[in-house]
Amino acid sequence: MRWVSAIIWAATLAFFAVAFALQDKASWPEGGTGPIWGEVAFLAATQAAGGALAGYLLATLFGRRGVIGWIVATVGAILVCLLGGLLGGGLFGLREIIGGGDELIQGLIRLGFGPLNAPLAIAETPSLAAVLAAATGLAHLVIQHMRTKSGPQAR
């Protein structure tokens, strides 16, 4: 059950990281070509790692029955995005944070903006909210099925 949540949220947060980065493509050096793609891939990987850990830790918020279950799943999705973004932002800025000096500030900024990847991507392109809703529904329904199938001990 926890691994299913981890996989769903890893993919979701990686998607939002790439979507957020692509929205700012006009300000990239060399018009969006060149070495920036390595940074985008690293951002996606760190956000996926943060999403997987957050999804694993908060998996129990998904799969409950009824309207209350959907409300808890929605709150869980928001928490997973924020916690996963924080963890991913910390991983992304770890090089600068460890290095210290002038790069420390940049690393701390990356840490602070990590939780905002999904909300800012959705704010820029509101149709991306459908991706978050789909991930929430998928996690909730799959985990609910797993709970029902495995009996009361999984609840």
Side-chain angles (χ1 to χ4, degrees), residues 38-112:
E39 285 287 311
V40 173
F42 185 61
L43 173 64
T46 57
Q47 288 293 315
L53 183 58
Y56 184 85
L57 294 174
L58 299 176
T60 58
L61 296 176
F62 300 97
R64 299 178 189 277
R65 294 178 187 254
V67 175
I68 298 297
W70 281 102
I71 293 169
V72 171
T74 302
V75 170
I78 293 166
L79 291 175
V80 167
C81 284
L82 294 175
L83 178 62
L86 180 65
L87 295 170
L91 289 172
F92 189 66
L94 194 60
R95 301 179 293 192
E96 290 87 4
I97 292 171
I98 290 174
D102 294 337
E103 293 182 351
L104 175 64
I105 300 300
Q106 185 177 0
L108 292 174
I109 290 171
R110 288 181 173 180
L111 172 66

Side-chain angles (χ1 to χ4, degrees), residues 130-153:
V131 174
L132 182 60
T136 303
L138 180 65
H140 182 64
L141 292 174
V142 168
I143 292 173
Q144 186 177 58
H145 176 73
M146 292 174 74
R147 284 178 183 227
T148 303
K149 188 176 171 184
S150 63
Q153 71 273 11

Side-chain angles (χ1 to χ4, degrees), residues 12-42:
T12 303
L13 263 66
F15 172 82
F16 277 119
V18 172
F20 180 66
L22 290 177
Q23 290 171 346
D24 195 30
K25 191 174 179 183
S27 68
W28 290 5
E30 303 173 25
T33 61
I36 194 73
W37 285 105
E39 285 287 311
V40 173
F42 185 61

